[in-house]
């Protein structure tokens, strides 16, 4: 499974995902180290009309591969920044990434609305 390059994710600063990278930038170094490059993409992406039990089993197997991957964090950051709409990336399913992104947006909105939201308030 080939992946686009990693971009640094700054959770406190991100309100919305950044735009997709161009194809020239997709030759970045992190994906070359991804463990999933040695596995079949079918483990990370759902076939059409996959039964729920099979999907859950496949996603857990994909997450086990991610758990031993040296670039799991970079992969997860990429999937959140793009955002990748399908598959398991960085140990998170598409649904789990949507939850993370919603929380990040909510937190960013709270920080913008908070009158005394300096660095100390933002850390708490």
């Amino acid at each position: 499974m080939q992946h686009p390059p990693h971009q640094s994710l700054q959770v406190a600063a991100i309100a919305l995902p950044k735009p997709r990278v161009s194809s020239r930038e997709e030759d970045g170094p992190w994906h070359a180290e991804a463990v999933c490059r040695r596995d079949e993409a079918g483990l990370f992406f759902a076939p059409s009309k996959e039964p729920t039990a099979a999907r859950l089993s496949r996603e857990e197997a994909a997450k086990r591969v991610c758990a031993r991957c040296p670039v799991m964090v970079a992969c997860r950051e990429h999937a959140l920044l793009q955002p990748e709409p399908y598959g398991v990336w960085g140990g998170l399913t598409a649904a789990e990434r949507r939850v993370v992104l919603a929380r990040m947006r909510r937190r960013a909105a709270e920080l913008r609305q908070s009158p005394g939201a300096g660095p100390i308030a933002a850390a708490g």
Side-chain angles (χ1 to χ4, degrees):
M1 177 167 152
Q2 205 168 29
H3 303 286
H6 156 253
Q7 296 176 8
S8 178
L9 175 67
Q10 297 175 356
V11 175
I14 189 168
L16 295 172
K18 294 179 182 174
R20 293 187 177 273
V21 294
S22 72
S23 59
R24 272 187 42 205
E25 296 171 322
E26 291 181 0
D27 296 329
W30 73 264
H31 58 79
E33 301 298 320
V35 173
C36 63
R37 289 177 62 94
R38 295 180 287 279
D39 292 311
E40 291 190 32
L43 186 61
F44 296 89
F45 295 93
S48 63
K49 300 182 181 180
E50 181 179 34
T52 302
R55 177 182 54 81
L56 293 173
S57 176
R58 179 188 49 75
E59 287 174 346
E60 285 305 313
K63 288 179 178 187
R64 284 193 297 275
V65 172
C66 293
R68 68 177 196 268
C69 184
V71 295
M72 182 182 77
V73 172
C75 180
R76 181 178 295 180
E77 289 176 348
H78 160 80
L80 291 168
L81 286 169
Q82 289 309 310
E84 292 291 346
Y86 307 106
V88 175
W89 290 76
L92 296 177
T93 64
E96 291 166 337
R97 290 191 304 277
R98 285 190 295 274
V99 169
V100 169
L101 288 170
R103 287 180 182 159
M104 290 168 61
R105 288 183 190 110
R106 222 176 5 259
R107 180 68 176 147
E110 289 170 0
L111 291 174
R112 282 192 305 271
Q113 292 174 356
S114 180
I120 294 174

